[in-house]
């Protein structure tokens, strides 16, 4: 069978909002076969098995993997469950693990995860799938076409808090900056209320990052980040873009009803267009790119885990900076778990 015809088997663990998005896109793509489902919540598991017509269901991911021996393991659990499921996937011999952002709760955890993955040669994909939105891509096209002149700054802002939103912002801004590596980051944070959330975070964080190509990154998340009044849906009030010597271009995430789109001011004038984040639009190509990468190692997934790890490191470097003060140089080694350290350090 030629690789183009091969069907890859997939097991999905964590069947909440995002797990169902993944299962839906996988079950409608002929390149994949959904062979097993898992959730610790029996009612969610039963409902998903019925919805997708999948025979094998387990409340334990290790048993799911043993029962189904899939080529692809997808997990969409909350951020507290990462390293054990990466280990389970690696030990079960899967080829690729696709999982949700944020990568981990700490640098230590992320380093441990990637040590296991690299040693076993397992590919990873992290769900920063907003980039498939046509408005996100329009901004990339404008920047890559040179209409901004020399790009000197990339930026991202979201009113949603750090562990929900920041790696999205950094990922897309890094894409707009051709994924130049970051050299250092400086961060400052405020407020401890959101540390109690399942996406444990400071209430507000500001990050300045220096990229090796001379471009500066500026990111803000949480209560106190600038509003994006053009977008109504609170979680989608994100503005990500680039400024250069001859203009700027930016995307407003939006979607889900009202607002969103892209805009640019360049030497060609003032330009804008519609757009909105839409899971139904963004998930199918995200899933298809997994098949393409498994078919051909040169077709690296745009949301590959090694790139996502670099964005995660910028966020964690900023947390370390808020604790220790000063610049934190990248890449990061092991250290005090960032969220706990930050919670202790903030007044
Ligand atoms: N990429 C995006 O656009 C996007 C959007 C929303 C959420 N997310 C991320 O997706 C992740 C999941 O969010 P959600 O909104 O789907 O959460 P959710 O609470 O709806 O679903 C999580 C599911 O995981 C299950 N679960 C927990 N531990 C498990 C385990 N050990 N084994 C199997 N199942 C387990 C829970 O019972 C629950 O059903 C989070 O990390 C979140 O940040 C990403």
């Amino acid at each position: 069978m030629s690789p183009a015809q091969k069907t890859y088997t997939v097991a999905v663990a964590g069947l909440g909002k995002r797990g169902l998005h993944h299962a839906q896109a996988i079950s409608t793509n002929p390149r994949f076969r959904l062979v097993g489902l898992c959730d610790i919540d029996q009612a969610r598991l039963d409902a998903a098995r019925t919805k997708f017509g999948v025979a094998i269901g387990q409340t334990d991911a290790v048993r799911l993997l043993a029962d189904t021996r899939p080529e692809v393991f997808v997990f969409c659990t909350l951020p507290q469950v990462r390293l054990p499921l990466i280990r389970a996937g690696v030990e079960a011999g899967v080829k690729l693990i696709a999982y949700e952002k944020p990568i981990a709760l700490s640098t230590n955890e992320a380093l441990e995860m990637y040590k296991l993955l690299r040693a076993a040669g397992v590919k990873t994909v992290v769900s920063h799938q907003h980039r498939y939105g046509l408005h996100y891509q329009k901004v990339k096209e404008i920047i890559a076409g040179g209409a901004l002149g020399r790009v000197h700054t990339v930026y991202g802002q979201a009113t949603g808090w750090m562990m929900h939103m920041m790696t999205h912002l950094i990922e897309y801004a890094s894409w707009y900056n051709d994924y130049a590596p970051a050299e250092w980051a400086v961060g400052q944070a405020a407020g401890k209320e959101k540390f109690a959330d399942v996406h444990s975070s400071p209430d507000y964080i500001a990050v300045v990052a220096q990229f090796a190509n001379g471009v500066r990154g500026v990111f803000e998340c949480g209560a106190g980040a600038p509003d994006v009044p053009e977008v109504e849906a609170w979680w989608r009030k994100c503005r990500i873009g680039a400024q250069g010597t001859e203009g700027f271009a930016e995307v407003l995430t939006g979607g889900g009803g009202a607002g969103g789109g892209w805009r640019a001011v360049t030497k060609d004038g003032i330009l804008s267009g519609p757009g909105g984040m839409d899971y139904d639009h963004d998930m199918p190509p995200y899933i298809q790119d997994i098949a393409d990468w498994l078919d051909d190692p040169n077709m690296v997934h745009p949301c590959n885990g090694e790139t996502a790890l670099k964005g995660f490191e910028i966020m964690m470097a900023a947390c370390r900076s808020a604790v220790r003060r000063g610049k934190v140089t990248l890449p990061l080694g092991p250290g005090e778990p960032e969220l706990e350290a930050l919670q202790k350090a903030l007044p």
Side-chain angles (χ1 to χ4, degrees), residues 29 35 65 69 89 123 168 172 176 187 247 259 261 265 267 290 296 314 328 335:
N29 185 318
V35 293
L65 291 164
R69 290 277 151 196
K123 296 178 165 71
H168 275 302
Y172 311 130
Y176 293 160
V265 178
K267 59 182 181 305
I290 292 176
D296 178 353
I314 295 174
V328 173

Side-chain angles (χ1 to χ4, degrees), residues 141-192:
E141 187 188 304
I142 292 169
I143 298 165
L148 306 189
R150 180 182 63 79
V151 171
H152 50 69
T153 307
V154 292
Y155 55 91
Q157 302 164 346
T159 49
W161 51 99
M162 182 182 89
M163 289 293 269
H164 271 292
M165 301 310 300
M166 186 155 263
T167 66
H168 275 302
L169 304 180
I170 296 174
E171 174 75 25
Y172 311 130
S174 298
W175 173 40
Y176 293 160
N177 188 30
D178 297 327
Y179 290 110
E183 292 179 331
W184 53 258
V186 164
Q188 187 54 282
K192 301 209 280 193

Side-chain angles (χ1 to χ4, degrees), residues 38-271:
C38 167
D39 200 292
I40 52 173
D41 180 324
Q42 185 73 49
R44 285 190 172 187
L45 173 59
D46 292 344
R49 278 180 58 202
T50 305
K51 181 175 163 75
F52 298 108
V54 174
I56 300 180
Q58 280 291 357
T59 51
D60 175 67
V62 173
R63 285 177 60 192
L64 169 82
L65 291 164
D67 286 357
T68 57
R69 290 277 151 196
E71 289 162 299
V72 178
F73 178 40
V74 172
F75 70 86
C76 300
T77 50
L78 288 168
Q80 288 66 29
V81 187
R82 294 287 186 267
L83 178 56
L85 292 191
I86 290 286
R87 183 175 287 119
V90 167
E91 287 177 357
V94 304
K95 293 188 164 108
L96 184 146
I97 301 177
Y99 67 106
E100 268 297 345
K101 44 63 49 176
I103 281 187
L105 291 181
S106 66
T107 299
N108 293 352
E109 184 183 24
L111 292 175
E112 194 61 34
M113 288 162 58
Y114 279 78
K115 198 166 116 189
L116 291 174
L117 291 160
R118 288 169 188 156
V122 176
K123 296 178 165 71
T124 51
V125 172
V126 176
S127 203
H128 290 120
Q129 82 293 347
H130 295 192
R131 63 177 287 147
Y132 292 93
L134 297 180
H135 52 328
Y136 279 74
Q137 299 201 349
K138 180 69 188 173
V139 171
K140 174 66 184 173
E141 187 188 304
I142 292 169
I143 298 165
L148 306 189
R150 180 182 63 79
V151 171
H152 50 69
T153 307
V154 292
Y155 55 91
Q157 302 164 346
T159 49
W161 51 99
M162 182 182 89
M163 289 293 269
H164 271 292
M165 301 310 300
M166 186 155 263
T167 66
H168 275 302
L169 304 180
I170 296 174
E171 174 75 25
Y172 311 130
S174 298
W175 173 40
Y176 293 160
N177 188 30
D178 297 327
Y179 290 110
E183 292 179 331
W184 53 258
V186 164
Q188 187 54 282
K192 301 209 280 193
E193 211 176 288
K194 289 288 184 264
F195 281 115
D197 186 75
V198 286
H199 287 78
S200 179
S201 306
D203 297 348
Y204 169 80
I205 184 161
V207 181
V208 173
Q210 181 63 32
F211 294 99
N213 62 350
V215 171
R216 181 58 54 97
V218 183
F219 305 98
E220 284 183 77
C221 265
D227 187 19
V228 181
E230 299 86 346
V231 174
E232 273 178 29
W234 189 86
W235 279 111
R236 295 163 184 235
K237 286 176 173 288
C238 311
R239 193 162 71 90
I240 308 151
Q243 294 173 353
T245 49
E246 293 176 29
F248 77 91
E250 61 185 20
V251 65
L252 312 180
T253 299
W262 62 274
R263 60 190 172 207
V265 178
T266 73
K267 59 182 181 305
D268 301 325
I270 302 173
L271 312 162

